[in-house]
Amino acid sequence: MKLMVMVALVLAGTSAQAQMVYKCVGKGGALSYQSEPCASGLPAKSWVAIPEPEPTEAQLRARRYAQQRAESDSQELAARAGRWPGSRNGGGVPQGASIPIGGSACADARAERDLWLKSPLGRDASIDARRVWHERVWNACR
């Protein structure tokens, strides 16, 4: 009984099978890739193709995190360069809105962050983008 279960598990785990791939040159130099041997009998090249396994949930999560982190880093660098809509000289503040100038740097940073959070860009922002704004306020207020 245990042997049958072990055999079933081994067979179930081998769903991805290797396949032979042939690169053939046809009439007029046309290239084709196929799983059957070439009609001429002489393949230009052949190799064993092993399919890549499906990514695990942890790998997918790591890819999503890396993509979000890259977007956040890009936004931060663009903001430092003054080219991101959330930067002081960008368009992150809704048109017609004003930021009080002349107050403390802490109050100015809070007002700018709050206006950005109320704008469409801020409402749809990622957690990392919001974190950038909160760190700016923290740096201005310390």
Side-chain angles (χ1 to χ4, degrees):
M1 180 66 175
K2 288 182 182 179
L3 179 63
M4 289 175 45
V5 171
M6 292 295 282
V7 169
L9 288 174
V10 168
L11 291 176
T14 59
S15 60
Q17 298 178 357
Q19 183 176 0
M20 199 67 173
V21 178
Y22 298 92
K23 177 180 176 183
C24 302
V25 180
K27 293 180 182 175
L31 290 177
S32 66
Y33 295 91
Q34 55 196 41
S35 57
E36 299 87 28
C38 300
S40 65
L42 299 171
K45 184 177 180 181
S46 64
W47 63 93
V48 177
I50 301 172
E52 186 175 304
E54 291 291 320
T56 65
E57 185 60 36
Q59 290 171 328
L60 291 172
R61 200 172 335 146
R63 286 180 192 170
R64 284 191 300 268
Y65 175 77
Q67 182 180 8
Q68 290 172 348
R69 186 70 187 162
E71 288 172 7
S72 175
D73 290 347
S74 175
Q75 290 174 353
E76 172 66 19
L77 292 172
R80 287 183 184 180
R83 287 182 240 151
W84 187 53
S87 63
R88 279 188 184 263
N89 55 356
V93 177
Q95 235 177 0
S98 62
I99 298 174
I101 305 288
S104 71
C106 180
D108 289 346
R110 283 183 180 152
E112 187 176 0
R113 177 197 59 197
D114 293 342
L115 284 172
W116 180 80
L117 287 171
K118 292 176 185 173
S119 72
L121 188 64
R123 283 193 300 266
D124 297 334
S126 68
I127 291 173
D128 288 332
R130 290 172 184 251
R131 180 186 49 81
V132 169
W133 278 97
H134 293 305
E135 286 178 359
R136 285 186 189 166
V137 170
W138 185 80
N139 287 332
C141 294
R142 58 179 172 150

